[in-house]
Amino acid sequence: MSLPRTLVLSTLVLALAACQTAPTPRPAAEPAPVPAPVAAPAGPAANDNLNAVAWIQAAEEYRLLAGQTFRSALVQLDRAIKTPGWDALVPSERANPADGLPPAVIVDIDETVLDNSPYQARLVRDGGSYNEVTWDAWVREEKARPVPGALEFAQAAAARGVTIFYVSNRAAHLNEATVANLRAVGFPIESEAQFLGLGFFVDGCEQQGSEKGCRRQHVGRTHRVLMQFGDQIGDMVTIEANNPAGRKAALEPYLGWFGERWWVLPNPSYGSWEPALFNNAWSLPEAERRQLKLEALDYAE
């Protein structure tokens, strides 16, 4: 018996459908690749001295502050010349009466009358720290420029008959380059005897390390010292103990002399104030020295 034609066709359609395979599922979309991080431009490592050097070189406030110091000192200088008994040496460094002696002014050199910030800038750029080799090379370049206001004051003082003595802790083998640099930018030096560097021997006075007391006493033997200029307390008076308490004790008796006989120039880049915060232990690793400086900060807590 034959099947109806419609039934045959239906059977064939169902058979063909059964033979078809199920569609292959499409794979899930893969996430887009994450771009590799862009490396930061290479540059100098972080340096604690960067802001200090940038301030000295770029801030108008620094130039104004240094300039007003020397302008104010010049006003006081005229008063000092006319005032008998005016003396800027502490009593322990005055070995003889000052009355009748010719007038003089004592200045420190580095960061007081000569600006060495380019040397500090090189250290920041190169990731270095102070050492005698690089310092000597810088001094021999004779490129230091005057601190703002210093040259004008020195020239005005010399015009008034006041001798400038340059008392510095630069080593003796740098004397010639130092005097040449000072002269090249216009500082008055009639005689090299006006420069008293580290190692200058003063008869009858026992030198304590790099302290300048004996050299100040030497100037006082022949001159009435009207003023002293420096960027460190030790440029005016001997510090017996370089710690916060010792530094305060050294200057306390003479607070009234600042802005009159003693003049301080700003130097946030270096100085004896820094090692006073870590007990003068330069042998400590840099990270430990930094930690001790952090601990010395006032957090008002």
Side-chain angles (χ1 to χ4, degrees):
M1 180 179 68
S2 61
L3 296 173
R5 185 177 182 181
T6 55
L7 179 58
V8 172
L9 290 175
S10 298
T11 302
L12 290 174
V13 170
L14 291 173
L16 288 173
C19 293
Q20 290 181 349
T21 58
T24 304
R26 297 179 63 186
E30 296 182 0
V34 178
V38 178
N47 190 301
D48 287 353
N49 210 16
L50 174 58
N51 270 8
V53 177
W55 184 74
I56 290 172
Q57 292 193 337
E60 291 299 330
E61 289 82 356
Y62 168 72
R63 283 181 278 278
L64 292 171
L65 184 56
Q68 77 181 17
T69 298
F70 284 108
R71 284 194 301 274
S72 298
L74 189 57
V75 174
Q76 293 288 351
L77 182 64
D78 289 328
R79 175 176 164 227
I81 293 172
K82 299 174 183 177
T83 304
W86 183 296
D87 190 23
L89 291 183
V90 300
S92 61
E93 295 176 3
R94 169 56 70 188
N96 53 292
D99 292 342
L101 297 177
V105 165
I106 294 176
V107 299
D108 170 56
I109 292 180
D110 298 313
E111 281 50 74
T112 297
V113 297
L114 286 183
D115 171 14
N116 299 288
S117 63
Y119 171 71
Q120 299 293 330
R122 295 176 187 181
L123 296 181
V124 172
R125 178 196 64 193
D126 300 336
S129 56
Y130 171 86
N131 65 73
E132 292 183 0
V133 174
T134 57
W135 171 250
D136 287 8
W138 160 253
V139 172
R140 294 184 192 282
E141 290 181 35
E142 301 175 17
K143 289 182 179 178
R145 297 180 293 270
V147 167
L151 181 59
E152 294 79 2
F153 173 87
Q155 292 177 339
R160 289 162 167 77
V162 177
T163 301
I164 308 294
F165 284 89
Y166 305 85
V167 179
S168 169
N169 280 338
R170 290 189 175 191
H173 64 272
L174 298 174
N175 288 8
E176 183 177 344
T178 300
V179 172
N181 194 164
L182 288 167
R183 282 177 168 160
V185 296
F187 282 100
I189 305 180
E190 293 184 3
S191 167
E192 292 190 9
Q194 291 172 243
F195 174 73
L196 308 177
L198 190 64
F200 182 87
F201 176 74
V202 179
D203 187 35
C205 185
E206 185 177 351
Q207 179 72 38
Q208 300 293 327
S210 61
E211 289 289 348
K212 298 180 176 181
C214 287
R215 285 171 281 171
R216 291 190 291 258
Q217 185 183 128
H218 173 78
V219 176
R221 291 175 180 177
T222 57
H223 289 76
R224 179 165 69 106
V225 180
L226 304 180
M227 291 180 175
Q228 297 194 65
F229 291 80
D231 64 314
Q232 313 288 327
I233 297 172
D235 292 328
M236 293 81 147
V237 63
T238 298
I239 301 173
E240 299 298 338
N242 190 46
N243 54 48
R247 291 166 61 80
K248 288 182 180 180
L251 62 84
E252 280 290 338
Y254 308 103
L255 290 176
W257 287 15
F258 288 94
E260 182 186 73
R261 306 181 192 195
W262 292 356
W263 302 84
V264 181
L265 278 299
N267 179 8
S269 188
Y270 68 89
S272 57
W273 58 269
E274 182 185 5
L277 301 179
F278 49 79
N279 198 29
N280 306 287
W282 284 107
S283 60
L284 291 175
E286 182 181 2
E288 291 187 31
R289 299 197 307 268
R290 182 181 295 116
Q291 181 59 39
L292 290 171
K293 288 190 285 185
L294 285 168
E295 292 173 6
L297 297 179
D298 180 2
Y299 297 98
E301 294 177 344

